[in-house]
Amino acid sequence: MDSLPRTALFPSLALCMALGACDGEPEPPDAGPMIDAGIDAAVDAGPPLTCTDVMRLEPAVDGTASVMLDTSMTETRPRDLGLSCGNNEAELRWAPQEVLEIAVPGSGPMQVTVDTAFPETEFTFNTVLQFRQTCEAVPTGAFPPSCFDDTGDEVRATGSITVEGGSTVTVIVTGYSEPPAEEMLVDEGPVRVDVSVTANARPTIDDGRFLLAGDDVIILASGTDAEGEARGVAVNFYDASGELVDIYGDGEATLDGDVFSIPFDPAPSEVDFSAEAEVLASVVNLGPFVRGRGIPTVAFRIYDAGWALSDPLMVDVADAELVGLGETCGGPQVCRPEMRCDAGTCAALPAAAAACDGAIDFPTIEVAADTAASASVTGTIRSGAGAIAPDADCADERGSAGAETIYALTVPDGTYDLLLTTDRDGTESTDTILYVRGACPDSGTELACDDDISGGNRRSAVQIRGLDAGTYHVFVERFGGLSSGTLPFELEATLRPVLTSGAACDDTEMDNRCASGACTDGTCP
């Protein structure tokens, strides 16, 4: 069973600190890493503790030591696990505890796994495990994790760390104190604890790339893990002077505190691996953080299933090569937003593909060879989130996150200007966003976009000159589209012929336009 730390792979405290996603000023975490049993640690707060009443286990390499405990029999004051382990409500974090002291056998890096998910442990006992260097020493860093709670839907905890053979590790066995009543879980009781120890060679990293793809981040890494269990990459950030960036904002930058961990997806199973990790802007604003701070360099450390870490590799921050629909992708070639790399080729995300498949055919515009013609439609824009958004320079994220109504408009043979507007009576007071793409799910084919015609007119209008024959997709959104209810709009499209030299033309350019130069005395130059 893979173990999940209490602090997730995306350490929320580090993220909100670094990327401005918190309300107010966060506190640094109390639970943190154990690396080679050599971390700095703070003395436990509160009344003096006696850690003499502990149970010592001496598992063999590739062996398991098992013990039955009953935390409900504990009478001593619980040790303070910190607000990042178990219940994060300060007044509720005092579930009964038992303490194990594990003599780690062997030499070199050894993975210590502690498991409570057995029939002898009540399935309602929401167990929590915290690894410590000593009984009194509260872990203070953020990564790798030292605290482990649920594993998927399983509330009985499993956790692993990697330390040096010959060291001693303390494990606090406890529960998530006072779980919500509706969960029908308990925070104390009988528990079977198995401790197993296996050799765990640290991963190595050979190469890596940190690529900015708009607001998203793509991480590529290759290396070796003897057990074939590479799981992700831990990233530290360095400023232009080469100094480690304090993403916590607590005045102190540390390698294992100011770190952002990103899992590989999918996790490779090969000893020699090449893997990719992605951080989407919708998850956390890592791209804007890196750009805004002008960070030129990052350090990669690969971690495995036992949280063993490779030595760091310094990697330059670079821009990804954005590629479009149907183009080859992978490595530094990254599909534009609203697409994904599918078997080496960019394809629309399912939601975007469905939205494009649902495009409405715009009425045929019966245009003459030299005279403009128009057609219009009325429609509504539904509430809720959309699958496609215009260029960020056209409308900010707050305004363009809503649903879209899409039309497929056909331009006949020849060359035409396309003029589109929602400045019609049927739009009423709807604040529209209007944009056009050559390929519906590919943002790189966006030809024009408009939010407001003017400061006093919140309707939209675009003009695209010199379009060749083909089908183009027209998107109508409303600004602030996530609000409730549907709103009406009217969309008018005009095709204006573009004429060649010597053709008879309209000096006003209402009916047609010359391809080169202005119409003079009724003739195109």
Side-chain angles (χ1 to χ4, degrees), residues 1-3 57 64-69 71 98 100 113-131 148-151 154-160 171-176 189-196:
M1 178 183 296
D2 289 339
S3 58
L57 297 179
T64 299
S66 183
V67 64
M68 279 296 303
L69 304 171
T71 64
E98 292 292 341
L100 299 179
T113 299
V114 179
D115 192 357
T116 65
F118 300 102
E120 294 87 343
T121 306
E122 285 293 329
F123 73 93
T124 57
F125 184 6
N126 190 355
T127 54
V128 174
L129 303 169
Q130 186 180 72
F131 290 82
F148 298 87
D149 190 355
D150 302 339
T151 303
E154 170 62 72
V155 300
R156 295 170 294 188
T158 302
S160 297
V171 179
I172 310 293
V173 181
T174 184
Y176 183 96
V191 54
R192 172 182 161 183
V193 182
D194 279 15
V195 178
S196 58

Side-chain angles (χ1 to χ4, degrees), residues 6-7 13 27-32 81-88 130 147:
R6 175 66 185 167
T7 50
L13 204 54
E27 297 293 332
D30 295 315
L81 303 183
L83 288 176
S84 294
C85 189
N87 200 325
N88 58 9
Q130 186 180 72
C147 184

Side-chain angles (χ1 to χ4, degrees), residues 77-359:
R77 179 186 74 80
R79 294 146 190 86
D80 188 353
L81 303 183
L83 288 176
S84 294
C85 189
N87 200 325
N88 58 9
E89 297 291 335
E91 68 276 13
L92 300 180
R93 56 198 239 245
W94 303 111
Q97 305 168 354
E98 292 292 341
V99 183
L100 299 179
E101 184 180 81
I102 301 170
V104 182
S107 60
M110 308 296 292
Q111 178 175 324
V112 180
T113 299
V114 179
D115 192 357
T116 65
F118 300 102
E120 294 87 343
T121 306
E122 285 293 329
F123 73 93
T124 57
F125 184 6
N126 190 355
T127 54
V128 174
L129 303 169
Q130 186 180 72
F131 290 82
R132 295 185 173 192
Q133 181 179 348
T134 67
C135 179
E136 296 86 355
V138 182
T140 58
F143 184 85
S146 64
C147 184
F148 298 87
D149 190 355
D150 302 339
T151 303
D153 295 331
E154 170 62 72
V155 300
R156 295 170 294 188
T158 302
S160 297
I161 62 169
T162 296
V163 296
E164 288 298 305
S167 63
T168 300
V169 172
T170 297
V171 179
I172 310 293
V173 181
T174 184
Y176 183 96
S177 59
E178 299 189 34
E182 63 269 17
E183 294 182 359
M184 301 183 68
L185 300 177
V186 298
D187 62 2
E188 62 181 20
V191 54
R192 172 182 161 183
V193 182
D194 279 15
V195 178
S196 58
V197 179
T198 57
N200 185 27
R202 300 187 181 279
T204 62
I205 180 169
D206 302 324
D207 194 15
R209 303 191 71 173
F210 186 99
L211 302 172
L212 297 174
D215 288 346
D216 300 336
V217 169
I218 308 296
I219 286 175
L220 308 171
S222 60
T224 301
D225 183 72
E227 293 76 28
E229 294 185 335
R231 288 294 180 265
V233 58
V235 183
N236 296 98
F237 305 90
Y238 290 81
D239 61 22
S241 65
E243 295 296 321
L244 183 64
V245 175
D246 173 19
I247 65 173
Y248 277 90
D250 59 3
E252 181 181 8
T254 62
L255 192 64
D256 298 310
D258 296 276
V259 61
F260 189 102
S261 56
I262 308 166
F264 292 135
D265 185 21
S269 58
E270 302 83 7
V271 171
D272 296 311
F273 67 87
S274 179
E276 178 174 328
E278 183 175 14
V279 182
L280 300 177
S282 58
V283 177
V284 64
N285 291 325
L286 182 59
F289 166 71
V290 172
R291 292 184 190 277
R293 294 288 294 266
I295 294 172
T297 310
V298 298
F300 283 179
R301 288 177 294 165
I302 303 299
Y303 60 85
D304 66 12
W307 302 99
L309 286 164
S310 70
D311 290 334
L313 173 73
M314 301 305 293
V315 177
D316 291 335
V317 174
D319 285 312
E321 178 188 348
L322 297 179
V323 292
L325 188 67
E327 294 185 305
T328 299
C329 54
Q333 286 79 36
V334 176
C335 299
R336 297 187 185 103
E338 298 148 13
M339 294 181 290
R340 65 183 177 186
C341 194
D342 186 359
T345 302
C346 287
L349 290 170
C356 292
D357 289 343

Side-chain angles (χ1 to χ4, degrees), residues 51-75:
C51 286
T52 55
D53 187 18
V54 300
M55 182 173 294
R56 184 176 175 86
L57 297 179
E58 299 182 355
V61 176
D62 296 328
T64 299
S66 183
V67 64
M68 279 296 303
L69 304 171
D70 189 345
T71 64
S72 62
M73 303 298 292
T74 303
E75 297 181 357

Side-chain angles (χ1 to χ4, degrees), residues 321-413:
E321 178 188 348
L322 297 179
V323 292
L325 188 67
E327 294 185 305
T328 299
C329 54
Q333 286 79 36
V334 176
C335 299
R336 297 187 185 103
E338 298 148 13
M339 294 181 290
R340 65 183 177 186
C341 194
D342 186 359
T345 302
C346 287
L349 290 170
C356 292
D357 289 343
I360 303 165
D361 288 334
F362 196 88
T364 301
I365 303 175
E366 300 292 347
V367 59
D370 59 358
T371 304
S374 302
S376 63
V377 293
T378 58
T380 58
I381 311 171
R382 64 177 176 84
S383 61
I388 297 175
D391 187 280
D393 292 335
C394 176
D396 63 35
E397 183 177 352
R398 178 177 62 90
S400 62
E404 55 281 318
T405 298
I406 309 173
Y407 291 94
L409 186 151
T410 299
V411 174
D413 290 339

